[in-house]
Amino acid sequence: MTDAAITAAAAQIAQAQADKALRPTIAGFFDEATNTITYVASDPATREAAVIDSVLDYEAASGRTSHGSADRVIEYLSANDLTVTWLIETHAHADHLSAAPYLQEKLGGKLAIGAEIIRVQDVFGKLFNAGSEFERDGSQFDHLFTDGETFRIGNLHGIALHVPGHTPADMAFIIGDAAFIGDTMFMPDFGTARTDFPGGDARQLFQSIHRLLRLPDETRLFLCHDYKAPGRDEFAWESTVKLQRAHNVHVHDGVTEDEFVAMRTARDANLAMPTLILPSVQVNIRGGHLPEPEDNGVSYIKIPVNAV
């Protein structure tokens, strides 16, 4: 069966590789506390930009938030005279809180995520007993991307791709010749994302990854996290389709779907939950907003006991 979205993305990438004016300028901001990379992808001609997967600093012991990570992004945008068009989340992260509302207040732009966020909202809305006041329709976001949908950042062309497996709502975003692939693959020496969260599926992830690996070999892949695989001393977050196909320790060419599912399932069974999963998901399904303050003016994050 023809995958029209991948065909269109491949054509866009080839065009951008041939025409420098169609390639984004990309800056990555690494947050070592959560091993997360926030990206700014901008059009050099119009100075329009997208911020992808921002981080709100959160101190679990005290419950306090701060904005150092987001302010670094703001400083870069200001220094380069960039205007934010989009604030994009590749999925509802389980390892950090989103700073999108803070950035939107400071910079504007539309907050967007994949349309399947409604499935994640439904599952976690029940887990946190969020009540009827918590809408499970994605309305906390300004835009819900569907598979194959196109968008613009100034003169740059973008295509949204649905790549479920890590969660049901994961998206990858092709901007010019660059692909921001969220939690699908990591650096080749580290492998792939876990699939044991609610709605995750190892078989789906394998299929999503191989969908991405049909893009042109030299497609630049920008990863959401890095954890420094054993033997590597530096953090890294950019790869290519060609490198992933040849060297990814989990899904290099020759690994079958059944082999991957068996490996991923066994590996996931021994992984600890991310340190910030409960506050992160609770906030991120709300588009990065904290739960509504109670009658004393304080927001509270719930910790379900013996439920996860």
Side-chain angles (χ1 to χ4, degrees):
M1 183 183 349
T2 300
D3 187 333
I6 289 294
T7 300
Q12 173 185 298
I13 291 164
Q15 186 178 14
Q17 288 173 339
D19 184 350
K20 187 177 180 180
L22 299 177
R23 301 177 207 163
T25 299
I26 298 168
F29 300 83
F30 183 70
D31 177 58
E32 191 164 354
T34 63
N35 296 92
T36 302
I37 303 93
T38 298
Y39 295 102
V40 175
S42 60
D43 174 17
T46 66
R47 318 303 294 173
E48 290 189 20
V51 179
I52 303 167
D53 290 335
S54 62
V55 175
L56 177 69
D57 301 318
Y58 177 74
E59 172 54 53
S62 66
R64 298 197 68 85
T65 63
S66 58
H67 302 104
S69 295
D71 285 340
R72 283 199 299 147
V73 175
I74 292 173
E75 289 167 8
Y76 171 83
L77 291 160
S78 176
N80 289 278
D81 193 28
L82 299 175
T83 300
V84 173
T85 304
W86 293 99
L87 298 159
I88 292 173
E89 302 289 338
T90 55
H91 61 295
H93 305 275
D95 41 34
H96 70 271
L97 283 66
S98 170
Y102 174 76
L103 292 172
Q104 190 171 44
E105 179 184 352
K106 299 287 186 181
L107 305 168
K110 289 185 177 181
L111 173 56
I113 200 167
E116 291 301 308
I117 187 62
I118 60 174
R119 291 180 55 193
V120 180
Q121 289 178 325
D122 184 56
V123 169
F124 284 99
K126 292 173 183 174
L127 174 65
F128 294 116
N129 198 28
S132 58
E133 67 274 12
F134 172 59
E135 299 292 342
R136 296 158 170 84
D137 58 1
S139 58
Q140 299 84 353
F141 301 85
D142 299 314
H143 186 79
L144 302 181
F145 278 110
T146 58
D147 185 57
E149 184 177 351
T150 61
F151 61 100
R152 298 289 290 270
I153 302 169
N155 296 329
L156 301 179
H157 296 271
I159 298 177
L161 299 175
H162 186 213
V163 286
H166 174 61
T167 79
D170 277 61
M171 301 291 290
F173 294 90
I174 316 301
I175 300 172
D177 67 332
F180 300 86
I181 63 174
D183 283 17
T184 52
M185 289 176 286
F186 302 131
M187 290 299 289
D189 58 1
F190 201 86
T192 58
R194 66 194 298 165
T195 60
D196 58 329
F197 297 152
D201 186 294
R203 201 167 294 278
Q204 262 193 340
L205 180 61
F206 181 89
Q207 293 165 4
S208 293
I209 288 171
H210 275 266
R211 190 180 189 213
L212 292 172
L213 293 179
R214 290 171 54 196
L215 294 171
D217 278 354
E218 300 310 315
T219 302
R220 297 185 288 162
L221 304 180
F222 291 90
L223 320 176
C224 190
H225 301 288
D226 186 55
Y227 303 96
K228 284 199 299 192
R232 176 157 53 87
D233 295 328
E234 302 293 332
F235 289 108
W237 47 82
E238 181 179 351
S239 183
T240 66
V241 167
K242 184 176 182 178
L243 286 172
Q244 295 286 358
R245 292 184 66 102
H247 301 297
N248 188 290
V249 293
H250 294 165
V251 289
H252 58 79
D253 286 348
V255 175
T256 69
E257 184 172 320
D258 287 341
E259 288 170 341
F260 175 80
V261 170
M263 177 283 300
R264 191 69 262 173
T265 302
R267 185 177 175 88
D268 291 347
N270 294 306
L271 294 178
M273 283 291 105
T275 302
L276 297 183
I277 184 172
L278 295 177
S280 293
V281 174
Q282 201 166 160
V283 168
N284 293 338
I285 59 175
R286 291 177 164 88
H289 292 279
L290 297 174
E292 286 295 317
E294 298 192 8
D295 56 12
N296 62 354
V298 176
S299 293
Y300 290 87
I301 288 175
K302 293 181 177 180
I303 304 297
V305 178
N306 298 325
V308 178

